[in-house]
PDB file of all heavy atoms in Angstrom:
ATOM      1  N   LYS A 204       4.698   7.073 -16.252  1.00 87.00           N
ATOM      2  CA  LYS A 204       4.570   8.475 -15.831  1.00 87.00           C
ATOM      3  C   LYS A 204       3.863   9.359 -16.857  1.00 87.00           C
ATOM      4  O   LYS A 204       3.751  10.557 -16.651  1.00 87.00           O
ATOM      5  CB  LYS A 204       5.918   9.065 -15.467  1.00 87.00           C
ATOM      6  CG  LYS A 204       6.625   8.328 -14.322  1.00 87.00           C
ATOM      7  CD  LYS A 204       7.918   9.006 -13.913  1.00 87.00           C
ATOM      8  CE  LYS A 204       8.561   8.238 -12.762  1.00 87.00           C
ATOM      9  NZ  LYS A 204       9.821   8.856 -12.314  1.00 87.00           N
ATOM     10  N   GLN A 205       3.384   8.747 -17.978  1.00 91.00           N
ATOM     11  CA  GLN A 205       2.553   9.535 -18.872  1.00 91.00           C
ATOM     12  C   GLN A 205       1.198   9.785 -18.223  1.00 91.00           C
ATOM     13  O   GLN A 205       0.737   9.003 -17.388  1.00 91.00           O
ATOM     14  CB  GLN A 205       2.341   8.833 -20.212  1.00 91.00           C
ATOM     15  CG  GLN A 205       3.525   8.875 -21.141  1.00 91.00           C
ATOM     16  CD  GLN A 205       3.220   8.305 -22.493  1.00 91.00           C
ATOM     17  OE1 GLN A 205       2.600   7.255 -22.600  1.00 91.00           O
ATOM     18  NE2 GLN A 205       3.642   8.963 -23.557  1.00 91.00           N
ATOM     19  N   GLY A 206       0.541  10.872 -18.591  1.00 91.00           N
ATOM     20  CA  GLY A 206      -0.769  11.194 -18.055  1.00 91.00           C
ATOM     21  C   GLY A 206      -1.855  10.901 -19.067  1.00 91.00           C
ATOM     22  O   GLY A 206      -1.777  11.341 -20.226  1.00 91.00           O
ATOM     23  N   VAL A 207      -2.860  10.114 -18.659  1.00 94.00           N
ATOM     24  CA  VAL A 207      -4.009   9.800 -19.528  1.00 94.00           C
ATOM     25  C   VAL A 207      -5.181  10.659 -19.088  1.00 94.00           C
ATOM     26  O   VAL A 207      -5.622  10.549 -17.930  1.00 94.00           O
ATOM     27  CB  VAL A 207      -4.346   8.324 -19.489  1.00 94.00           C
ATOM     28  CG1 VAL A 207      -5.522   8.011 -20.399  1.00 94.00           C
ATOM     29  CG2 VAL A 207      -3.150   7.453 -19.839  1.00 94.00           C
ATOM     30  N   ARG A 208      -5.651  11.480 -19.979  1.00 93.00           N
ATOM     31  CA  ARG A 208      -6.789  12.363 -19.677  1.00 93.00           C
ATOM     32  C   ARG A 208      -8.090  11.567 -19.776  1.00 93.00           C
ATOM     33  O   ARG A 208      -8.385  10.948 -20.795  1.00 93.00           O
ATOM     34  CB  ARG A 208      -6.842  13.525 -20.664  1.00 93.00           C
ATOM     35  CG  ARG A 208      -7.994  14.513 -20.426  1.00 93.00           C
ATOM     36  CD  ARG A 208      -8.043  15.545 -21.548  1.00 93.00           C
ATOM     37  NE  ARG A 208      -9.017  16.597 -21.278  1.00 93.00           N
ATOM     38  CZ  ARG A 208     -10.295  16.535 -21.570  1.00 93.00           C
ATOM     39  NH1 ARG A 208     -10.806  15.436 -22.113  1.00 93.00           N
ATOM     40  NH2 ARG A 208     -11.116  17.538 -21.326  1.00 93.00           N
ATOM     41  N   ILE A 209      -8.861  11.577 -18.674  1.00 91.00           N
ATOM     42  CA  ILE A 209     -10.134  10.851 -18.628  1.00 91.00           C
ATOM     43  C   ILE A 209     -11.245  11.859 -18.525  1.00 91.00           C
ATOM     44  O   ILE A 209     -11.347  12.595 -17.499  1.00 91.00           O
ATOM     45  CB  ILE A 209     -10.192   9.896 -17.444  1.00 91.00           C
ATOM     46  CG1 ILE A 209      -8.936   9.032 -17.332  1.00 91.00           C
ATOM     47  CG2 ILE A 209     -11.452   9.041 -17.486  1.00 91.00           C
ATOM     48  CD1 ILE A 209      -8.744   8.066 -18.480  1.00 91.00           C
ATOM     49  N   PRO A 210     -12.120  11.986 -19.501  1.00 91.00           N
ATOM     50  CA  PRO A 210     -13.244  12.947 -19.441  1.00 91.00           C
ATOM     51  C   PRO A 210     -14.346  12.397 -18.529  1.00 91.00           C
ATOM     52  O   PRO A 210     -14.294  11.254 -18.115  1.00 91.00           O
ATOM     53  CB  PRO A 210     -13.692  13.022 -20.886  1.00 91.00           C
ATOM     54  CG  PRO A 210     -13.462  11.636 -21.403  1.00 91.00           C
ATOM     55  CD  PRO A 210     -12.171  11.177 -20.753  1.00 91.00           C
ATOM     56  N   PRO A 211     -15.333  13.211 -18.219  1.00 88.00           N
ATOM     57  CA  PRO A 211     -16.522  12.704 -17.522  1.00 88.00           C
ATOM     58  C   PRO A 211     -17.130  11.560 -18.351  1.00 88.00           C
ATOM     59  O   PRO A 211     -17.419  11.727 -19.535  1.00 88.00           O
ATOM     60  CB  PRO A 211     -17.435  13.897 -17.446  1.00 88.00           C
ATOM     61  CG  PRO A 211     -16.543  15.092 -17.541  1.00 88.00           C
ATOM     62  CD  PRO A 211     -15.442  14.668 -18.481  1.00 88.00           C
ATOM     63  N   LEU A 212     -17.293  10.395 -17.730  1.00 84.00           N
ATOM     64  CA  LEU A 212     -17.808   9.227 -18.451  1.00 84.00           C
ATOM     65  C   LEU A 212     -19.272   8.989 -18.168  1.00 84.00           C
ATOM     66  O   LEU A 212     -19.851   9.566 -17.235  1.00 84.00           O
ATOM     67  CB  LEU A 212     -17.010   7.992 -18.023  1.00 84.00           C
ATOM     68  CG  LEU A 212     -15.478   8.035 -18.283  1.00 84.00           C
ATOM     69  CD1 LEU A 212     -14.842   6.786 -17.709  1.00 84.00           C
ATOM     70  CD2 LEU A 212     -15.195   8.124 -19.777  1.00 84.00           C
ATOM     71  N   ALA A 213     -19.857   8.178 -18.979  1.00 78.00           N
ATOM     72  CA  ALA A 213     -21.274   7.776 -18.766  1.00 78.00           C
ATOM     73  C   ALA A 213     -21.399   7.154 -17.382  1.00 78.00           C
ATOM     74  O   ALA A 213     -20.464   6.558 -16.863  1.00 78.00           O
ATOM     75  CB  ALA A 213     -21.704   6.799 -19.851  1.00 78.00           C
ATOM     76  N   ALA A 214     -22.565   7.259 -16.804  1.00 69.00           N
ATOM     77  CA  ALA A 214     -22.775   6.806 -15.438  1.00 69.00           C
ATOM     78  C   ALA A 214     -22.492   5.315 -15.269  1.00 69.00           C
ATOM     79  O   ALA A 214     -22.081   4.854 -14.210  1.00 69.00           O
ATOM     80  CB  ALA A 214     -24.220   7.093 -15.007  1.00 69.00           C
ATOM     81  N   TRP A 215     -22.693   4.524 -16.328  1.00 67.00           N
ATOM     82  CA  TRP A 215     -22.498   3.070 -16.224  1.00 67.00           C
ATOM     83  C   TRP A 215     -21.000   2.679 -16.302  1.00 67.00           C
ATOM     84  O   TRP A 215     -20.689   1.517 -16.042  1.00 67.00           O
ATOM     85  CB  TRP A 215     -23.255   2.346 -17.327  1.00 67.00           C
ATOM     86  CG  TRP A 215     -23.066   2.939 -18.714  1.00 67.00           C
ATOM     87  CD1 TRP A 215     -23.885   3.829 -19.350  1.00 67.00           C
ATOM     88  CD2 TRP A 215     -22.020   2.673 -19.632  1.00 67.00           C
ATOM     89  NE1 TRP A 215     -23.409   4.144 -20.603  1.00 67.00           N
ATOM     90  CE2 TRP A 215     -22.249   3.440 -20.798  1.00 67.00           C
ATOM     91  CE3 TRP A 215     -20.861   1.864 -19.593  1.00 67.00           C
ATOM     92  CZ2 TRP A 215     -21.389   3.469 -21.904  1.00 67.00           C
ATOM     93  CZ3 TRP A 215     -20.002   1.882 -20.682  1.00 67.00           C
ATOM     94  CH2 TRP A 215     -20.280   2.664 -21.816  1.00 67.00           C
ATOM     95  N   ALA A 216     -20.120   3.611 -16.618  1.00 68.00           N
ATOM     96  CA  ALA A 216     -18.706   3.305 -16.795  1.00 68.00           C
ATOM     97  C   ALA A 216     -17.938   3.571 -15.514  1.00 68.00           C
ATOM     98  O   ALA A 216     -17.078   4.434 -15.442  1.00 68.00           O
ATOM     99  CB  ALA A 216     -18.116   4.106 -17.950  1.00 68.00           C
ATOM    100  N   ALA A 217     -18.256   2.847 -14.466  1.00 61.00           N
ATOM    101  CA  ALA A 217     -17.641   3.071 -13.163  1.00 61.00           C
ATOM    102  C   ALA A 217     -16.188   2.647 -13.193  1.00 61.00           C
ATOM    103  O   ALA A 217     -15.857   1.583 -13.748  1.00 61.00           O
ATOM    104  CB  ALA A 217     -18.392   2.287 -12.091  1.00 61.00           C
ATOM    105  N   PRO A 218     -15.294   3.438 -12.589  1.00 63.00           N
ATOM    106  CA  PRO A 218     -13.876   3.070 -12.585  1.00 63.00           C
ATOM    107  C   PRO A 218     -13.582   1.980 -11.563  1.00 63.00           C
ATOM    108  O   PRO A 218     -14.326   1.767 -10.616  1.00 63.00           O
ATOM    109  CB  PRO A 218     -13.182   4.370 -12.187  1.00 63.00           C
ATOM    110  CG  PRO A 218     -14.167   5.056 -11.354  1.00 63.00           C
ATOM    111  CD  PRO A 218     -15.529   4.735 -11.940  1.00 63.00           C
ATOM    112  N   VAL A 219     -12.447   1.313 -11.781  1.00 54.00           N
ATOM    113  CA  VAL A 219     -11.955   0.336 -10.817  1.00 54.00           C
ATOM    114  C   VAL A 219     -11.272   1.086  -9.689  1.00 54.00           C
ATOM    115  O   VAL A 219     -10.506   2.003  -9.944  1.00 54.00           O
ATOM    116  CB  VAL A 219     -10.949  -0.640 -11.461  1.00 54.00           C
ATOM    117  CG1 VAL A 219     -10.274  -1.522 -10.434  1.00 54.00           C
ATOM    118  CG2 VAL A 219     -11.666  -1.479 -12.511  1.00 54.00           C
ATOM    119  N   ARG A 220     -11.537   0.718  -8.454  1.00 48.00           N
ATOM    120  CA  ARG A 220     -10.875   1.385  -7.331  1.00 48.00           C
ATOM    121  C   ARG A 220      -9.405   0.996  -7.311  1.00 48.00           C
ATOM    122  O   ARG A 220      -9.047  -0.168  -7.480  1.00 48.00           O
ATOM    123  CB  ARG A 220     -11.525   0.964  -6.017  1.00 48.00           C
ATOM    124  CG  ARG A 220     -12.936   1.466  -5.866  1.00 48.00           C
ATOM    125  CD  ARG A 220     -13.455   1.307  -4.483  1.00 48.00           C
ATOM    126  NE  ARG A 220     -13.431  -0.114  -4.049  1.00 48.00           N
ATOM    127  CZ  ARG A 220     -13.715  -0.518  -2.830  1.00 48.00           C
ATOM    128  NH1 ARG A 220     -14.076   0.357  -1.922  1.00 48.00           N
ATOM    129  NH2 ARG A 220     -13.684  -1.811  -2.522  1.00 48.00           N
ATOM    130  N   GLY A 221      -8.576   1.961  -7.064  1.00 46.00           N
ATOM    131  CA  GLY A 221      -7.134   1.745  -7.069  1.00 46.00           C
ATOM    132  C   GLY A 221      -6.649   1.098  -5.778  1.00 46.00           C
ATOM    133  O   GLY A 221      -7.414   0.910  -4.853  1.00 46.00           O
ATOM    134  N   PRO A 222      -5.324   0.776  -5.701  1.00 40.00           N
ATOM    135  CA  PRO A 222      -4.789   0.145  -4.524  1.00 40.00           C
ATOM    136  C   PRO A 222      -4.996   1.014  -3.281  1.00 40.00           C
ATOM    137  O   PRO A 222      -4.816   2.255  -3.338  1.00 40.00           O
ATOM    138  CB  PRO A 222      -3.271   0.030  -4.844  1.00 40.00           C
ATOM    139  CG  PRO A 222      -3.223   0.084  -6.342  1.00 40.00           C
ATOM    140  CD  PRO A 222      -4.349   0.958  -6.763  1.00 40.00           C
ATOM    141  N   GLY A 223      -5.386   0.393  -2.229  1.00 37.00           N
ATOM    142  CA  GLY A 223      -5.516   1.123  -0.981  1.00 37.00           C
ATOM    143  C   GLY A 223      -6.817   1.875  -0.860  1.00 37.00           C
ATOM    144  O   GLY A 223      -7.059   2.510   0.169  1.00 37.00           O
ATOM    145  N   GLN A 224      -7.655   1.896  -1.852  1.00 38.00           N
ATOM    146  CA  GLN A 224      -8.926   2.643  -1.803  1.00 38.00           C
ATOM    147  C   GLN A 224     -10.003   1.717  -1.257  1.00 38.00           C
ATOM    148  O   GLN A 224     -10.397   0.777  -1.911  1.00 38.00           O
ATOM    149  CB  GLN A 224      -9.293   3.160  -3.174  1.00 38.00           C
ATOM    150  CG  GLN A 224      -8.294   4.152  -3.729  1.00 38.00           C
ATOM    151  CD  GLN A 224      -8.705   4.653  -5.097  1.00 38.00           C
ATOM    152  OE1 GLN A 224      -9.843   4.454  -5.516  1.00 38.00           O
ATOM    153  NE2 GLN A 224      -7.785   5.295  -5.780  1.00 38.00           N
ATOM    154  N   GLY A 225     -10.484   2.041  -0.099  1.00 37.00           N
ATOM    155  CA  GLY A 225     -11.560   1.220   0.477  1.00 37.00           C
ATOM    156  C   GLY A 225     -11.000  -0.006   1.156  1.00 37.00           C
ATOM    157  O   GLY A 225      -9.807  -0.263   1.208  1.00 37.00           O
ATOM    158  N   SER A 226     -11.866  -0.781   1.755  1.00 38.00           N
ATOM    159  CA  SER A 226     -11.474  -1.955   2.522  1.00 38.00           C
ATOM    160  C   SER A 226     -11.186  -3.124   1.612  1.00 38.00           C
ATOM    161  O   SER A 226     -11.769  -3.258   0.543  1.00 38.00           O
ATOM    162  CB  SER A 226     -12.632  -2.328   3.489  1.00 38.00           C
ATOM    163  OG  SER A 226     -12.407  -3.590   4.043  1.00 38.00           O
ATOM    164  N   SER A 227     -10.279  -3.990   2.038  1.00 41.00           N
ATOM    165  CA  SER A 227     -10.008  -5.200   1.261  1.00 41.00           C
ATOM    166  C   SER A 227     -11.063  -6.274   1.522  1.00 41.00           C
ATOM    167  O   SER A 227     -11.031  -7.328   0.919  1.00 41.00           O
ATOM    168  CB  SER A 227      -8.617  -5.771   1.615  1.00 41.00           C
ATOM    169  OG  SER A 227      -8.611  -6.099   3.000  1.00 41.00           O
ATOM    170  N   LYS A 228     -11.995  -6.010   2.390  1.00 43.00           N
ATOM    171  CA  LYS A 228     -13.084  -6.937   2.686  1.00 43.00           C
ATOM    172  C   LYS A 228     -14.370  -6.475   2.059  1.00 43.00           C
ATOM    173  O   LYS A 228     -14.906  -5.434   2.412  1.00 43.00           O
ATOM    174  CB  LYS A 228     -13.252  -7.030   4.221  1.00 43.00           C
ATOM    175  CG  LYS A 228     -14.439  -7.893   4.638  1.00 43.00           C
ATOM    176  CD  LYS A 228     -14.557  -7.922   6.162  1.00 43.00           C
ATOM    177  CE  LYS A 228     -15.791  -8.632   6.618  1.00 43.00           C
ATOM    178  NZ  LYS A 228     -15.924  -8.641   8.068  1.00 43.00           N
ATOM    179  N   PRO A 229     -14.869  -7.155   1.007  1.00 45.00           N
ATOM    180  CA  PRO A 229     -16.079  -6.717   0.317  1.00 45.00           C
ATOM    181  C   PRO A 229     -17.272  -6.671   1.290  1.00 45.00           C
ATOM    182  O   PRO A 229     -17.482  -7.584   2.086  1.00 45.00           O
ATOM    183  CB  PRO A 229     -16.287  -7.793  -0.745  1.00 45.00           C
ATOM    184  CG  PRO A 229     -14.974  -8.499  -0.853  1.00 45.00           C
ATOM    185  CD  PRO A 229     -14.354  -8.401   0.472  1.00 45.00           C
ATOM    186  N   LYS A 230     -18.048  -5.600   1.226  1.00 51.00           N
ATOM    187  CA  LYS A 230     -19.173  -5.439   2.134  1.00 51.00           C
ATOM    188  C   LYS A 230     -20.217  -6.507   1.886  1.00 51.00           C
ATOM    189  O   LYS A 230     -20.933  -6.900   2.827  1.00 51.00           O
ATOM    190  CB  LYS A 230     -19.781  -4.029   1.931  1.00 51.00           C
ATOM    191  CG  LYS A 230     -18.842  -2.918   2.365  1.00 51.00           C
ATOM    192  CD  LYS A 230     -19.537  -1.556   2.162  1.00 51.00           C
ATOM    193  CE  LYS A 230     -18.637  -0.412   2.604  1.00 51.00           C
ATOM    194  NZ  LYS A 230     -19.270   0.910   2.387  1.00 51.00           N
ATOM    195  N   ALA A 231     -20.361  -6.975   0.673  1.00 66.00           N
ATOM    196  CA  ALA A 231     -21.441  -7.914   0.347  1.00 66.00           C
ATOM    197  C   ALA A 231     -21.129  -9.334   0.780  1.00 66.00           C
ATOM    198  O   ALA A 231     -21.959 -10.209   0.692  1.00 66.00           O
ATOM    199  CB  ALA A 231     -21.715  -7.886  -1.158  1.00 66.00           C
ATOM    200  N   MET A 232     -19.883  -9.589   1.270  1.00 77.00           N
ATOM    201  CA  MET A 232     -19.499 -10.938   1.625  1.00 77.00           C
ATOM    202  C   MET A 232     -19.293 -11.067   3.144  1.00 77.00           C
ATOM    203  O   MET A 232     -18.713 -10.161   3.761  1.00 77.00           O
ATOM    204  CB  MET A 232     -18.201 -11.332   0.906  1.00 77.00           C
ATOM    205  CG  MET A 232     -18.330 -11.378  -0.600  1.00 77.00           C
ATOM    206  SD  MET A 232     -16.788 -11.889  -1.392  1.00 77.00           S
ATOM    207  CE  MET A 232     -16.686 -13.619  -0.854  1.00 77.00           C
ATOM    208  N   SER A 233     -19.760 -12.148   3.678  1.00 85.00           N
ATOM    209  CA  SER A 233     -19.568 -12.404   5.107  1.00 85.00           C
ATOM    210  C   SER A 233     -18.170 -12.980   5.331  1.00 85.00           C
ATOM    211  O   SER A 233     -17.496 -13.410   4.396  1.00 85.00           O
ATOM    212  CB  SER A 233     -20.619 -13.395   5.617  1.00 85.00           C
ATOM    213  OG  SER A 233     -20.416 -14.660   5.006  1.00 85.00           O
ATOM    214  N   ASP A 234     -17.724 -13.015   6.613  1.00 88.00           N
ATOM    215  CA  ASP A 234     -16.444 -13.606   6.917  1.00 88.00           C
ATOM    216  C   ASP A 234     -16.403 -15.058   6.494  1.00 88.00           C
ATOM    217  O   ASP A 234     -15.377 -15.557   6.007  1.00 88.00           O
ATOM    218  CB  ASP A 234     -16.167 -13.486   8.413  1.00 88.00           C
ATOM    219  CG  ASP A 234     -15.894 -12.050   8.854  1.00 88.00           C
ATOM    220  OD1 ASP A 234     -15.545 -11.236   7.976  1.00 88.00           O
ATOM    221  OD2 ASP A 234     -16.043 -11.758  10.056  1.00 88.00           O
ATOM    222  N   LYS A 235     -17.520 -15.756   6.633  1.00 91.00           N
ATOM    223  CA  LYS A 235     -17.589 -17.164   6.233  1.00 91.00           C
ATOM    224  C   LYS A 235     -17.421 -17.325   4.721  1.00 91.00           C
ATOM    225  O   LYS A 235     -16.676 -18.192   4.251  1.00 91.00           O
ATOM    226  CB  LYS A 235     -18.919 -17.777   6.660  1.00 91.00           C
ATOM    227  CG  LYS A 235     -19.077 -19.237   6.284  1.00 91.00           C
ATOM    228  CD  LYS A 235     -20.441 -19.796   6.688  1.00 91.00           C
ATOM    229  CE  LYS A 235     -20.586 -21.261   6.242  1.00 91.00           C
ATOM    230  NZ  LYS A 235     -21.921 -21.801   6.618  1.00 91.00           N
ATOM    231  N   GLN A 236     -18.065 -16.433   3.934  1.00 89.00           N
ATOM    232  CA  GLN A 236     -17.952 -16.507   2.487  1.00 89.00           C
ATOM    233  C   GLN A 236     -16.523 -16.200   2.043  1.00 89.00           C
ATOM    234  O   GLN A 236     -16.010 -16.824   1.104  1.00 89.00           O
ATOM    235  CB  GLN A 236     -18.937 -15.529   1.856  1.00 89.00           C
ATOM    236  CG  GLN A 236     -20.381 -15.957   1.961  1.00 89.00           C
ATOM    237  CD  GLN A 236     -21.331 -14.871   1.510  1.00 89.00           C
ATOM    238  OE1 GLN A 236     -21.106 -13.670   1.734  1.00 89.00           O
ATOM    239  NE2 GLN A 236     -22.406 -15.269   0.870  1.00 89.00           N
ATOM    240  N   ILE A 237     -15.897 -15.211   2.692  1.00 91.00           N
ATOM    241  CA  ILE A 237     -14.527 -14.881   2.354  1.00 91.00           C
ATOM    242  C   ILE A 237     -13.601 -16.048   2.652  1.00 91.00           C
ATOM    243  O   ILE A 237     -12.731 -16.392   1.838  1.00 91.00           O
ATOM    244  CB  ILE A 237     -14.078 -13.630   3.119  1.00 91.00           C
ATOM    245  CG1 ILE A 237     -14.842 -12.397   2.629  1.00 91.00           C
ATOM    246  CG2 ILE A 237     -12.565 -13.400   2.959  1.00 91.00           C
ATOM    247  CD1 ILE A 237     -14.615 -11.169   3.442  1.00 91.00           C
ATOM    248  N   ALA A 238     -13.799 -16.707   3.786  1.00 93.00           N
ATOM    249  CA  ALA A 238     -12.964 -17.838   4.166  1.00 93.00           C
ATOM    250  C   ALA A 238     -13.165 -18.989   3.176  1.00 93.00           C
ATOM    251  O   ALA A 238     -12.198 -19.675   2.802  1.00 93.00           O
ATOM    252  CB  ALA A 238     -13.317 -18.293   5.578  1.00 93.00           C
ATOM    253  N   GLU A 239     -14.386 -19.199   2.725  1.00 94.00           N
ATOM    254  CA  GLU A 239     -14.674 -20.268   1.761  1.00 94.00           C
ATOM    255  C   GLU A 239     -13.987 -19.996   0.426  1.00 94.00           C
ATOM    256  O   GLU A 239     -13.473 -20.910  -0.200  1.00 94.00           O
ATOM    257  CB  GLU A 239     -16.183 -20.403   1.572  1.00 94.00           C
ATOM    258  CG  GLU A 239     -16.874 -21.016   2.795  1.00 94.00           C
ATOM    259  CD  GLU A 239     -18.401 -21.020   2.626  1.00 94.00           C
ATOM    260  OE1 GLU A 239     -18.906 -20.320   1.701  1.00 94.00           O
ATOM    261  OE2 GLU A 239     -19.104 -21.703   3.415  1.00 94.00           O
ATOM    262  N   LEU A 240     -13.992 -18.735   0.012  1.00 93.00           N
ATOM    263  CA  LEU A 240     -13.347 -18.376  -1.251  1.00 93.00           C
ATOM    264  C   LEU A 240     -11.838 -18.538  -1.144  1.00 93.00           C
ATOM    265  O   LEU A 240     -11.191 -19.084  -2.036  1.00 93.00           O
ATOM    266  CB  LEU A 240     -13.706 -16.949  -1.653  1.00 93.00           C
ATOM    267  CG  LEU A 240     -13.234 -16.486  -3.035  1.00 93.00           C
ATOM    268  CD1 LEU A 240     -13.856 -17.341  -4.138  1.00 93.00           C
ATOM    269  CD2 LEU A 240     -13.578 -15.027  -3.276  1.00 93.00           C
ATOM    270  N   GLN A 241     -11.278 -18.092  -0.035  1.00 95.00           N
ATOM    271  CA  GLN A 241      -9.819 -18.203   0.142  1.00 95.00           C
ATOM    272  C   GLN A 241      -9.394 -19.667   0.262  1.00 95.00           C
ATOM    273  O   GLN A 241      -8.257 -19.989  -0.091  1.00 95.00           O
ATOM    274  CB  GLN A 241      -9.403 -17.412   1.377  1.00 95.00           C
ATOM    275  CG  GLN A 241      -9.535 -15.896   1.202  1.00 95.00           C
ATOM    276  CD  GLN A 241      -9.133 -15.106   2.419  1.00 95.00           C
ATOM    277  OE1 GLN A 241      -8.884 -15.651   3.495  1.00 95.00           O
ATOM    278  NE2 GLN A 241      -9.014 -13.792   2.255  1.00 95.00           N
ATOM    279  N   ALA A 242     -10.307 -20.527   0.744  1.00 96.00           N
ATOM    280  CA  ALA A 242      -9.963 -21.951   0.872  1.00 96.00           C
ATOM    281  C   ALA A 242      -9.836 -22.616  -0.511  1.00 96.00           C
ATOM    282  O   ALA A 242      -9.298 -23.734  -0.604  1.00 96.00           O
ATOM    283  CB  ALA A 242     -11.029 -22.663   1.684  1.00 96.00           C
ATOM    284  N   LEU A 243     -10.271 -21.950  -1.559  1.00 97.00           N
ATOM    285  CA  LEU A 243     -10.186 -22.497  -2.902  1.00 97.00           C
ATOM    286  C   LEU A 243      -8.800 -22.305  -3.521  1.00 97.00           C
ATOM    287  O   LEU A 243      -8.511 -22.865  -4.598  1.00 97.00           O
ATOM    288  CB  LEU A 243     -11.231 -21.826  -3.834  1.00 97.00           C
ATOM    289  CG  LEU A 243     -12.706 -22.012  -3.453  1.00 97.00           C
ATOM    290  CD1 LEU A 243     -13.561 -21.197  -4.426  1.00 97.00           C
ATOM    291  CD2 LEU A 243     -13.106 -23.476  -3.473  1.00 97.00           C
ATOM    292  N   VAL A 244      -7.938 -21.521  -2.846  1.00 97.00           N
ATOM    293  CA  VAL A 244      -6.605 -21.206  -3.425  1.00 97.00           C
ATOM    294  C   VAL A 244      -5.754 -22.471  -3.482  1.00 97.00           C
ATOM    295  O   VAL A 244      -5.572 -23.155  -2.484  1.00 97.00           O
ATOM    296  CB  VAL A 244      -5.927 -20.118  -2.607  1.00 97.00           C
ATOM    297  CG1 VAL A 244      -4.486 -19.926  -3.090  1.00 97.00           C
ATOM    298  CG2 VAL A 244      -6.705 -18.792  -2.699  1.00 97.00           C
ATOM    299  N   LEU A 245      -5.210 -22.726  -4.679  1.00 98.00           N
ATOM    300  CA  LEU A 245      -4.314 -23.859  -4.903  1.00 98.00           C
ATOM    301  C   LEU A 245      -2.857 -23.431  -4.911  1.00 98.00           C
ATOM    302  O   LEU A 245      -1.974 -24.233  -4.589  1.00 98.00           O
ATOM    303  CB  LEU A 245      -4.631 -24.519  -6.240  1.00 98.00           C
ATOM    304  CG  LEU A 245      -6.044 -25.073  -6.423  1.00 98.00           C
ATOM    305  CD1 LEU A 245      -6.301 -25.402  -7.905  1.00 98.00           C
ATOM    306  CD2 LEU A 245      -6.222 -26.341  -5.567  1.00 98.00           C
ATOM    307  N   TYR A 246      -2.595 -22.180  -5.313  1.00 97.00           N
ATOM    308  CA  TYR A 246      -1.249 -21.683  -5.464  1.00 97.00           C
ATOM    309  C   TYR A 246      -1.264 -20.149  -5.309  1.00 97.00           C
ATOM    310  O   TYR A 246      -2.216 -19.504  -5.767  1.00 97.00           O
ATOM    311  CB  TYR A 246      -0.680 -22.054  -6.846  1.00 97.00           C
ATOM    312  CG  TYR A 246       0.658 -21.423  -7.176  1.00 97.00           C
ATOM    313  CD1 TYR A 246       1.840 -22.009  -6.798  1.00 97.00           C
ATOM    314  CD2 TYR A 246       0.707 -20.218  -7.866  1.00 97.00           C
ATOM    315  CE1 TYR A 246       3.059 -21.440  -7.098  1.00 97.00           C
ATOM    316  CE2 TYR A 246       1.922 -19.604  -8.177  1.00 97.00           C
ATOM    317  CZ  TYR A 246       3.103 -20.215  -7.775  1.00 97.00           C
ATOM    318  OH  TYR A 246       4.288 -19.636  -8.074  1.00 97.00           O
ATOM    319  N   ARG A 247      -0.227 -19.621  -4.651  1.00 97.00           N
ATOM    320  CA  ARG A 247      -0.153 -18.163  -4.520  1.00 97.00           C
ATOM    321  C   ARG A 247       1.296 -17.735  -4.380  1.00 97.00           C
ATOM    322  O   ARG A 247       2.064 -18.340  -3.618  1.00 97.00           O
ATOM    323  CB  ARG A 247      -0.952 -17.709  -3.301  1.00 97.00           C
ATOM    324  CG  ARG A 247      -0.795 -16.237  -2.936  1.00 97.00           C
ATOM    325  CD  ARG A 247      -1.907 -15.739  -2.017  1.00 97.00           C
ATOM    326  NE  ARG A 247      -1.922 -16.392  -0.721  1.00 97.00           N
ATOM    327  CZ  ARG A 247      -1.455 -15.842   0.404  1.00 97.00           C
ATOM    328  NH1 ARG A 247      -0.890 -14.627   0.366  1.00 97.00           N
ATOM    329  NH2 ARG A 247      -1.533 -16.478   1.541  1.00 97.00           N
ATOM    330  N   ASP A 248       1.681 -16.724  -5.132  1.00 95.00           N
ATOM    331  CA  ASP A 248       2.952 -16.044  -4.927  1.00 95.00           C
ATOM    332  C   ASP A 248       2.698 -14.549  -5.085  1.00 95.00           C
ATOM    333  O   ASP A 248       1.564 -14.085  -5.076  1.00 95.00           O
ATOM    334  CB  ASP A 248       4.065 -16.582  -5.848  1.00 95.00           C
ATOM    335  CG  ASP A 248       3.786 -16.326  -7.356  1.00 95.00           C
ATOM    336  OD1 ASP A 248       3.059 -15.372  -7.682  1.00 95.00           O
ATOM    337  OD2 ASP A 248       4.315 -17.091  -8.192  1.00 95.00           O
ATOM    338  N   ALA A 249       3.745 -13.759  -5.214  1.00 94.00           N
ATOM    339  CA  ALA A 249       3.585 -12.314  -5.248  1.00 94.00           C
ATOM    340  C   ALA A 249       2.850 -11.808  -6.516  1.00 94.00           C
ATOM    341  O   ALA A 249       2.338 -10.697  -6.533  1.00 94.00           O
ATOM    342  CB  ALA A 249       4.942 -11.634  -5.144  1.00 94.00           C
TER     343      ALA A 249
END
C-alpha cells in the first residue's frame, strides 16, 4: 500500500501493462501460434 511516485519517463521506457489491461490474446500472434505455444507447457499451477 505504499505509493511509488513515477515521473514522466523517457519514451523508450514503456511500462508493463497491469492485470486486466488489454486482451490476453497478443495481437501479433495467430490462434495457431498461441495454441503451439500453449502446447509447450509441461507443468502449470496457480
Side-chain angles (χ1 to χ4, degrees):
K204 300 185 180 180
Q205 283 187 316
V207 181
R208 180 187 187 275
I209 311 296
L212 301 175
W215 47 265
V219 172
R220 293 191 301 174
Q224 297 180 13
S226 169
S227 62
K228 175 181 174 181
K230 294 181 180 179
M232 296 182 68
S233 67
D234 289 340
K235 179 181 178 181
Q236 289 172 321
I237 292 172
E239 289 174 347
L240 187 62
Q241 292 180 350
L243 299 176
V244 173
L245 299 167
Y246 172 87
R247 171 162 65 101
D248 63 26

